[in-house]
Amino acid sequence: MLSKYNISQERNTTSLFGKVDMVALGLYLALVVAGIVCIVSASYNEEVGSAFSLQHNYMKQIVWGGISMIFALVVLLLDRRLFHMFAYPAYIAGIGVLIAVLLFGREVNGAKAWFEFGGVRIQPVEFAKIATAMMMAKVMSDYSFNIRRLPDLVKVGLVIGIPLGIIILQNDTGSGLVLCSFLFVLYREGISKYIYFPIIFTVALFITSFIFTPVVIFTTLLILFTLYSAYKTWAWSVHIRFLALVLLAALLLSLLTSLSGYASLMVACSIAAVVLMGVALKTRTMVLIWPIMMFVYAMIFVPTCDYLFTKLEPHQQNRILTFVGMKEDPKGIDFNVNQSQIAIGSGGLTGKGFMDGTQIKYGFVPEKHTDFIFCVVGEEWGFMGTLTIIALYIALIMRLMKMGERIKEPFGRVYCYSVAAILLFHVWVNVGMTIGLMPVMGIPLPLMSYGGSSLVAFTILIMIAIRLDASTDDQSIYMK
Amino acid sequence: MRSGGHISSLHGHLRIVVCIIAAVLVGRLFYVQIIDGKYDALAESNIMRPEIEYPMRGEVVDRHGEPLIRSRVCYDVMVVWDNLPKSGFDSLHLISILDIPIEKLRREMRRAKQAPHSPHLVVGYLPQDAKLILDESGFDGFYTRFRTAREYPRKIGGNLLGYVSEISEEQLKKWRNYAAGDYVGVGGIESYYEADLRGEKGVSYRIRDTRGAVKGAYDGGANDLLPEKGKRIVSTIDGRLQEFAEELMVGKIGSVVAIEPSTGEILVMVSSPTYNPDLMVGRQRGNNYSEMLHNQRKPQYSRAIKENYPPGSTFKLVQGLIGLQEGVLTPSQRYECNQGFHYGVGSHARRQKCHVHRNNLNLREAVAHSCNAYFCYVFKNIITNRKYGNVKEGMRKWNEYVYSFGFGHKLGVDLYGEYGGYVPTPEHLDEVNGRYWNWGTVLSCAIGQGEMAATPLQMANLAATIANRGYYYTPHIVRSVEGRDSLDKRFYERHYTMVDSVHFETIIDGMWMSVNKEGTSRLAYLKGWDVCGKTGTAQHDRKKPDKSSSYSDHSAFISFAPRNNPQIAIAVYIEHGGWGSSAAVPIASLIEEMYLTDTITRPELVDRMMNLSLDYGYYDVRQDKYDAERAANDAK
């Protein structure tokens, strides 16, 4: 093995492995091994004779681990330029496969997102992530690329948006949302911060629209925006009078006409918005324009959101409702989350020990070897275990970000950040879901969840980053 | 723009974002795993399935140790809807094992579906062999639960022993230490001694998986409790004699109560009609029960302790004893009987009728011949005694005497629902007659008619009291309970009457004469046993529907034997049995003979009495009316 010493010496060894980031590789291997240990616990079945029988899921995962090592080796041996060249074809192929799976794929748990070849299931979206990451890197490392230019921004939007759209059509929303993690990368590449305001605003509206009635939301927004504007202009009396006028108008409308309170408020606000917009444009009071536009956006978004919600499948509706705390049903839809929390919570500080997790062993945790593998960590290894695993992930993510900074060429940096963002999103959503912080979305815990295609895909994803990092010193010609 | 401080600040921002996300996750994990302790208990309750283990109910044996009630093993078949195989199961095979109709299975499955996680009782009383077949057949989702069912080797004493039934909702609310599905004794010994018979439930904690399959003992079974068998109860009943008495009472409505005078132990207690107690066990119980419920002869009704009958002439013994004690009567006193007791003048003239018998009798002969007029004189003399000033006070004194013989109040037998009979009090008479009443108003009490009412148990207790020459023990049906040194102390106390024991010999002379020399009870004669007895032919107010005439009188007889050191005191009361001597005497005599000698010397009499089926027009009319009403209700 090559020591850290070599790496620190400007990686001037000719051997490829001398330049490989051993920390990232070590973290990667640690997580894969931890995953296999947990899968042993989750899937050991006494009824199967031999402990080494391939009927055990953990034996299959070990085999997949071996296959992943081969892929890792191949990736590390490839010339880095190949990745630049492969970006377009890989992306196009990825889109093609996504469309193919939409047409010919197999439906599992309501999502038409799987191919099945002789008993092996493959979820193409795992590989589409790699392709998209490479495509992002390719597009954003283009010589003339400037993220602050609208056409370039649109280009990036398309790179993310096309696979996202197809994935959502597959009814695999969870995996689709992974692509949103590229916002992380865009931030690093210096995208205008104002793009985050509407996103945060939209998410906030989305969540509150389930908790509060529209009347409450709009009244609150109206008051908030008016106060903001009053604060900015320091013309308090005008704003208070305006606010009173609008609310009074809404009240009168609802009392004197047959309109409901909600409709009255909408009418009053619409008129006020139009009038105010006119005033703002005429007097060139720019500070008014943003609040008005956001308010109008909310007036369109909230009803649309309600309408779309009714179009969702009942189980998806329920997941969202339980997540925002609108439904309490320990034996029903919330069952998975409750059971996984019970498993993790009962682990305590040090856990119940390897193979001794009762909730795991007796089947109370659903999907325990795939999406809920983190419960095994929580129950059997306790808080020490969960803390260690989170630390490993965060270390890997930080390492990838550091590698991204270290790589001088933008392609490598964007790619490394993309990988970090994907990992971060997966860990956040998956672990969050097992402890009730996030709604249940069927996305795996990277490297640890049982599943061959997922393990292979994440291996390739990470190994490309390591490979790109390993070639830092001979890339000057690509530098911008 | 991608150089210098700006870039590293972007990098720094994102590092902070990663750290915040990590902190939120770790913080939440810290809360769930370390701070919030509720998950341990939830995890335990997930995997732990407390399984109730039902105890064997205590058995009941007769005074000779022969079993009256036994417990046999059977199984409840339970189902958990969630655990049923998705592919369904072979319901035809299942119903053939369980021996139930398919509709029943469908109905139970529908109910099981309403609470899919919890066990639901499909059917009970599955015999051992069927249970083994069910186990072998491996129906997923179904399992069996150990229970016990009652069985009755002699098939006797349905309304005496009681039965066992699943606890009702009302009982559950009252009794905290029961749970739904528990069995509880209803009626008779089963009910009164429920606390002894039920035993203690056990519990075993099992580890189960999410499908409810048991995976082994929890914590090595350290917290398990074994069920504790119910206590064995020795009854005072003589099983063979009870069976014999029940056979004799077939076709008659009424009651037989026999008591061992020296202890107050009840040897026989028949309420006829009775029923085979096995009918109240098993799957047909519901049907059998409702059939009995609709039977107007009320086979489940314990007439022996619940029916208030006019005691009739048997009550003359009490009258005579009180007269002797009060000094208004001497054994040699003679009274005329002109086919009755004549009183009142003019248009108020009344007569208390009497049957034809030798005239001008003394006390002994009056007892033997059951002269009505004689005891009317006695009764009149008691309550009009100048010593007490007026009739009301005289009546009050008489009341006290009668109470001391165990009439007018509950005796305190160890059975629930006992009635106390009725003795008219001066206050009651005031209320009914508006204070204008005299000895003539209550004269029918002299001969145990009118407002006088007593249960067969009280009549048997009278026989025992006379046999004991003046005291009785509270009659009881249980001799001993396993694990208890003694019964309630009330069963060991002598209750003395207000009449001195010397006066009893005269009355016993009369009773002896009645059986052995001349009188109404000659059929009760048993050679060498000095049987003493007193018949009763009680009138009642059960009119025929046409109101023109009544049904036959009730036939009553109380007796004890032998005269010295009595071993058995008995009361037989047969509704509409006619003269005391025609139905009650032979039955009582046969039971006495059986008890005293273990043999039957008069098989033809046994045959005759067993086959005697009385005509119960009174009940038939009621039954017809009831059925018609039911049919009308059903039609609605």
Side-chain angles (χ1 to χ4, degrees):
Chain A
M1 289 305 289
L2 290 159
S3 65
K4 230 175 154 187
Y5 181 72
N6 284 336
I7 301 164
S8 62
Q9 282 201 345
E10 297 283 302
R11 307 175 203 212
N12 54 4
T13 32
T14 46
S15 158
L16 167 72
F17 293 105
K19 297 178 244 165
V20 163
D21 187 305
M22 296 311 281
V23 175
L25 200 60
L27 289 167
Y28 159 84
L29 283 173
L31 284 166
V32 172
V33 171
I36 288 169
V37 169
C38 290
I39 293 166
V40 170
S41 232
S43 63
Y44 180 72
N45 183 351
E46 289 169 4
E47 284 163 27
V48 177
S50 161
F52 300 103
S53 161
L54 267 177
Q55 283 172 274
H56 289 297
N57 280 335
Y58 62 84
M59 284 309 293
K60 290 184 198 164
Q61 185 74 355
I62 289 170
V63 170
W64 277 112
I67 295 171
S68 299
M69 294 307 126
I70 296 168
F71 273 98
L73 199 62
V74 169
V75 168
L76 291 179
L77 287 172
L78 287 177
D79 189 301
R80 72 188 189 292
R81 277 161 294 198
L82 280 175
F83 302 117
H84 296 245
M85 286 158 62
F86 279 159
Y88 276 110
Y91 184 72
I92 290 164
I95 299 291
V97 175
L98 283 180
I99 293 172
V101 84
L102 184 62
L103 298 176
F104 315 112
R106 190 188 146 90
E107 198 168 305
V108 176
N109 293 335
K112 200 169 181 184
W114 302 80
F115 274 134
E116 194 169 281
F117 303 108
V120 180
R121 275 192 207 157
I122 289 176
Q123 201 175 7
V125 70
E126 308 277 8
F127 298 95
K129 279 177 217 163
I130 308 172
T132 312
M134 282 168 68
M135 190 63 185
M136 284 280 288
K138 184 74 187 167
V139 169
M140 293 176 72
S141 63
D142 193 85
Y143 184 69
S144 60
F145 182 83
N146 184 345
I147 197 156
R148 302 229 164 185
R149 275 177 44 212
L150 193 61
D152 282 349
L153 199 57
V154 170
K155 222 189 268 177
V156 172
L158 281 176
V159 169
I160 302 172
I162 292 169
L164 177 62
I166 301 170
I167 294 166
I168 286 173
L169 284 179
Q170 289 171 359
N171 204 1
D172 191 8
T173 324
S175 304
L177 290 178
V178 175
L179 297 181
C180 297
S181 61
F182 285 119
L183 286 171
F184 189 86
V185 186
L186 298 181
Y187 185 89
R188 167 62 187 83
E189 293 305 303
I191 195 169
S192 164
K193 288 183 195 69
Y194 289 109
I195 209 158
Y196 290 92
F197 279 112
I199 291 170
I200 293 167
F201 185 61
T202 306
V203 171
L205 271 184
F206 178 79
I207 292 174
T208 48
S209 70
F210 292 105
I211 303 174
F212 303 108
T213 63
V215 178
V216 175
I217 295 172
F218 289 125
T219 314
T220 313
L221 284 179
L222 187 64
I223 294 169
L224 279 178
F225 285 151
T226 314
L227 291 180
Y228 168 78
S229 170
Y231 172 77
K232 277 280 179 186
T233 56
W234 213 254
W236 287 92
S237 65
V238 177
H239 284 92
I240 301 288
R241 264 179 277 157
F242 163 77
L243 186 61
L245 191 70
V246 174
L247 290 177
L248 196 66
L251 194 66
L252 283 174
L253 267 176
S254 78
L255 288 177
L256 298 178
T257 65
S258 59
L259 290 174
S260 67
Y262 175 44
S264 309
L265 189 68
M266 295 301 275
V267 170
C269 289
S270 306
I271 295 168
V274 171
V275 172
L276 216 55
M277 201 65 181
V279 172
L281 288 175
K282 199 176 172 190
T283 61
R284 300 204 159 255
T285 327
M286 295 314 285
V287 74
L288 274 178
I289 290 176
W290 271 112
I292 294 167
M293 281 175 69
M294 280 170 83
F295 192 82
V296 171
Y297 170 70
M299 276 170 45
I300 297 163
F301 178 79
V302 172
T304 316
C305 193
D306 277 353
Y307 171 75
L308 289 178
F309 181 74
T310 60
K311 293 280 160 189
L312 285 178
E313 301 281 323
H315 75 272
Q316 291 172 320
Q317 292 185 358
N318 284 336
R319 277 180 187 176
I320 293 172
L321 286 179
T322 25
F323 173 60
V324 296
M326 297 295 285
K327 266 196 171 181
E328 282 286 337
D329 182 12
K331 279 280 180 186
I333 45 173
D334 218 5
F335 183 74
N336 290 5
V337 179
N338 259 317
Q339 290 300 333
S340 76
Q341 275 193 66
I342 290 171
I344 293 173
S346 66
L349 180 65
T350 53
K352 298 176 188 171
F354 178 56
M355 304 274 277
D356 283 336
T358 54
Q359 307 299 299
I360 301 296
K361 192 153 59 171
Y362 300 122
F364 287 90
V365 179
E367 310 281 333
K368 56 191 175 185
H369 57 290
T370 58
D371 289 353
F372 283 86
I373 192 75
F374 194 69
C375 295
V376 182
V377 181
E379 192 184 12
E380 301 196 344
W381 305 104
F383 183 63
M384 304 312 287
T386 53
L387 192 64
T388 308
I389 296 296
I390 299 283
L392 287 176
Y393 277 116
I394 298 302
L396 182 59
I397 289 163
M398 291 289 202
R399 190 76 192 172
L400 282 163
M401 286 163 68
K402 187 179 177 186
M403 282 154 59
E405 294 297 331
R406 190 161 66 192
I407 300 171
K408 304 285 185 321
E409 60 161 353
F411 184 92
R413 181 178 63 239
V414 172
Y415 185 84
C416 282
Y417 265 92
S418 299
V419 176
I422 289 170
L423 285 179
L424 182 66
F425 186 87
H426 270 266
V427 171
W428 161 242
V429 172
N430 183 286
V431 174
M433 140 187 116
T434 62
I435 50 180
L437 285 176
M438 296 295 283
V440 176
M441 284 189 237
I443 69 169
L445 190 59
L447 306 177
M448 286 187 71
S449 282
Y450 171 79
S453 73
S454 166
L455 180 58
V456 169
F458 276 108
T459 303
I460 296 172
L461 188 72
I462 294 167
M463 287 307 151
I464 291 175
I466 293 176
R467 176 68 192 89
L468 290 172
D469 172 62
S471 41
T472 313
D473 47 350
D474 54 7
Q475 61 195 349
S476 50
I477 55 161
Y478 293 99
M479 278 188 75
K480 244 180 175 175
Chain B
M1 62 163 268
R2 289 188 193 136
S3 60
H6 182 57
I7 299 233
S8 61
S9 93
L10 286 177
H11 174 64
H13 290 171
L14 290 177
R15 286 170 78 106
I16 291 167
V17 168
V18 173
C19 288
I20 289 172
I21 288 178
V24 169
L25 289 179
V26 169
R28 173 75 184 167
L29 282 165
F30 184 77
Y31 177 78
V32 169
Q33 297 192 284
I34 311 283
I35 308 231
D36 194 340
K38 73 179 178 199
Y39 296 106
D40 288 347
L42 287 170
E44 298 270 279
S45 75
N46 257 347
I47 56 159
M48 214 165 66
R49 187 168 78 178
E51 197 129 321
I52 291 177
E53 297 194 352
Y54 289 96
M56 273 281 206
R57 204 173 163 85
E59 60 171 0
V60 177
V61 299
D62 83 343
R63 61 194 294 115
H64 305 302
E66 180 199 309
L68 293 175
I69 314 177
R70 278 196 303 233
S71 278
R72 76 181 148 82
V73 173
C74 68
Y75 294 87
D76 284 348
V77 180
M78 312 294 291
V79 66
V80 178
W81 175 267
D82 276 354
N83 300 348
L84 290 172
K86 295 239 163 32
S87 50
F89 57 89
D90 186 351
S91 53
L92 287 178
H93 186 199
L94 185 65
I95 59 168
S96 75
I97 297 172
L98 302 186
D99 190 24
I100 52 172
I102 187 83
E103 296 77 28
K104 161 93 174 157
L105 182 67
R106 289 208 184 105
R107 197 166 59 234
E108 297 301 336
M109 296 316 281
R110 269 200 304 278
R111 288 181 189 154
K113 196 178 175 182
Q114 287 166 5
H117 306 301
S118 39
H120 174 79
L121 175 69
V122 179
V123 68
Y125 306 105
L126 189 74
Q128 184 101 40
D129 48 349
K131 186 245 179 197
L132 292 176
I133 299 174
L134 182 70
D135 287 352
E136 275 170 24
S137 309
F139 283 97
D140 279 346
F142 290 89
Y143 68 95
T144 55
R145 188 169 69 178
F146 175 89
R147 292 310 281 269
T148 56
R150 292 307 227 180
E151 67 179 358
Y152 305 85
R154 271 203 192 266
K155 324 270 179 233
I156 54 167
N159 47 29
L160 170 68
L161 302 172
Y163 57 91
V164 167
S165 145
E166 203 162 293
I167 191 162
S168 70
E169 304 241 335
E170 296 85 62
Q171 287 169 323
L172 261 181
K173 278 176 201 149
K174 276 189 289 181
W175 301 337
R176 289 271 161 240
N177 52 347
Y178 283 80
D182 282 1
Y183 286 156
V184 64
V186 181
I189 295 179
E190 293 277 21
S191 161
Y192 199 89
Y193 289 94
E194 164 70 14
D196 300 299
L197 289 171
R198 66 184 289 223
E200 292 286 335
K201 276 185 289 187
V203 64
S204 64
Y205 296 98
R206 308 275 172 78
I207 291 183
R208 58 161 189 191
D209 66 9
T210 182
R211 288 174 53 75
V214 171
K215 293 288 184 185
Y218 178 77
D219 208 2
N223 307 306
D224 294 3
L225 273 178
L226 282 176
E228 208 172 287
K229 192 171 185 280
K231 301 278 189 296
R232 180 174 186 266
I233 282 184
V234 180
S235 165
T236 60
I237 293 291
D238 183 321
R240 195 178 58 142
L241 200 62
Q242 173 84 15
E243 185 174 1
F244 183 58
E246 285 188 11
E247 282 170 6
L248 287 171
M249 288 297 283
V250 170
K252 295 125 214 142
I253 295 175
S255 183
V256 176
V257 179
I259 296 175
E260 186 178 66
S262 58
T263 56
E265 292 179 355
I266 296 170
L267 303 169
V268 169
M269 187 182 259
V270 181
S271 300
S272 181
T274 180
Y275 61 91
N276 176 357
D278 275 342
L279 291 177
M280 293 301 283
V281 183
R283 298 179 186 165
Q284 288 307 308
R285 202 187 80 191
N287 295 338
N288 295 334
Y289 179 77
S290 78
E291 199 172 294
M292 277 189 251
L293 206 64
H294 296 312
N295 185 344
Q296 288 304 295
R297 298 189 183 199
K298 301 198 173 151
Q300 292 191 306
Y301 188 56
S302 295
R303 288 180 159 76
I305 56 167
K306 287 190 176 181
E307 188 75 66
N308 285 333
Y309 290 119
S313 305
T314 59
F315 192 65
K316 288 170 184 166
L317 304 171
V318 179
Q319 222 64 272
L321 287 164
I322 300 171
L324 289 169
Q325 179 71 25
E326 282 288 284
V328 298
L329 177 66
T330 59
S332 56
Q333 173 78 47
R334 289 180 186 275
Y335 286 112
E336 287 286 329
C337 172
N338 299 311
Q339 295 199 12
F341 178 75
H342 300 261
Y343 63 105
V345 279
S347 62
H348 295 290
R350 296 277 187 281
R351 180 172 73 121
Q352 189 64 260
K353 277 188 203 166
C354 193
H355 55 101
V356 181
H357 58 77
R358 202 150 59 78
N359 201 358
N360 204 20
L361 305 172
N362 66 15
L363 177 55
R364 291 182 174 84
E365 291 159 350
V367 168
H369 288 284
S370 194
C371 176
N372 283 351
Y374 192 98
F375 290 97
C376 287
Y377 283 112
V378 175
F379 180 57
K380 181 192 160 198
N381 292 343
I382 294 167
I383 64 170
T384 58
N385 193 339
R386 288 187 187 278
K387 186 157 82 166
Y388 300 115
N390 57 36
V391 174
K392 193 171 171 180
E393 290 308 308
M395 191 68 188
R396 199 184 303 286
K397 190 69 192 172
W398 178 81
N399 256 272
E400 285 174 28
Y401 274 107
V402 176
Y403 282 169
S404 74
F405 280 88
F407 291 100
H409 59 87
K410 291 177 188 176
L411 287 169
V413 68
D414 46 353
L415 291 169
Y416 288 122
E418 186 197 359
Y419 283 19
Y422 189 72
V423 179
T425 59
E427 285 73 25
H428 172 78
L429 291 165
D430 276 354
E431 210 172 282
V432 174
N433 301 299
R435 292 212 275 135
Y436 296 105
W437 56 275
N438 59 16
W439 56 268
T441 318
V442 287
L443 193 62
S444 48
C445 290
I447 53 169
Q449 295 285 165
E451 278 142 322
M452 265 305 296
T455 62
L457 181 68
Q458 285 173 319
M459 294 182 222
N461 189 53
L462 174 63
T465 309
I466 295 171
N468 286 337
R469 276 76 171 167
Y471 65 86
Y472 68 87
Y473 289 102
T474 301
H476 49 281
I477 198 138
V478 164
R479 197 179 228 188
S480 66
V481 177
E482 184 188 353
R484 277 210 237 163
D485 292 340
S486 61
L487 301 172
D488 192 296
K489 69 176 191 310
R490 73 175 194 269
F491 298 122
Y492 304 110
E493 280 169 13
R494 286 183 181 188
H495 300 272
Y496 280 94
T497 64
M498 289 161 65
V499 177
D500 294 339
S501 64
V502 289
H503 298 305
F504 280 87
E505 286 305 332
T506 317
I507 296 297
I508 290 169
D509 276 347
M511 291 172 77
W512 182 85
M513 266 173 71
S514 177
V515 176
N516 297 284
K517 285 179 79 175
E518 50 176 310
T520 50
S521 320
R522 295 282 292 138
L523 255 175
Y525 176 75
L526 289 178
K527 193 168 181 230
W529 284 98
D530 281 334
V531 176
C532 304
K534 176 76 196 80
T535 57
T537 306
Q539 289 167 354
H540 50 77
D541 52 5
R542 294 174 177 175
K543 295 279 189 294
K544 283 188 179 171
D546 57 11
K547 312 260 194 247
S548 59
S549 57
S550 287
Y551 298 106
S552 333
D553 293 339
H554 295 329
S555 168
F557 183 58
I558 69 169
S559 166
F560 62 89
R563 179 174 172 158
N564 297 316
N565 290 324
Q567 295 170 23
I568 180 170
I570 188 167
V572 176
Y573 203 99
I574 292 170
E575 293 183 24
H576 308 304
W579 292 97
S581 51
S582 55
V585 174
I587 288 175
S589 175
L590 289 168
I591 293 168
E592 284 178 330
E593 183 179 20
M594 186 68 158
Y595 183 69
L596 295 169
T597 68
D598 266 353
T599 51
I600 289 297
T601 55
R602 294 165 290 179
E604 72 291 339
L605 185 63
V606 174
D607 276 351
R608 182 154 71 80
M609 294 322 292
M610 279 187 181
N611 294 327
L612 173 66
S613 191
L614 292 173
D615 178 29
Y616 282 104
Y618 171 72
Y619 286 102
D620 295 342
V621 168
R622 285 174 66 138
Q623 187 73 52
D624 290 346
K625 199 174 154 200
Y626 178 84
D627 288 345
E629 274 172 18
R630 246 182 95 202
N633 278 339
D634 287 353
K636 268 181 209 167

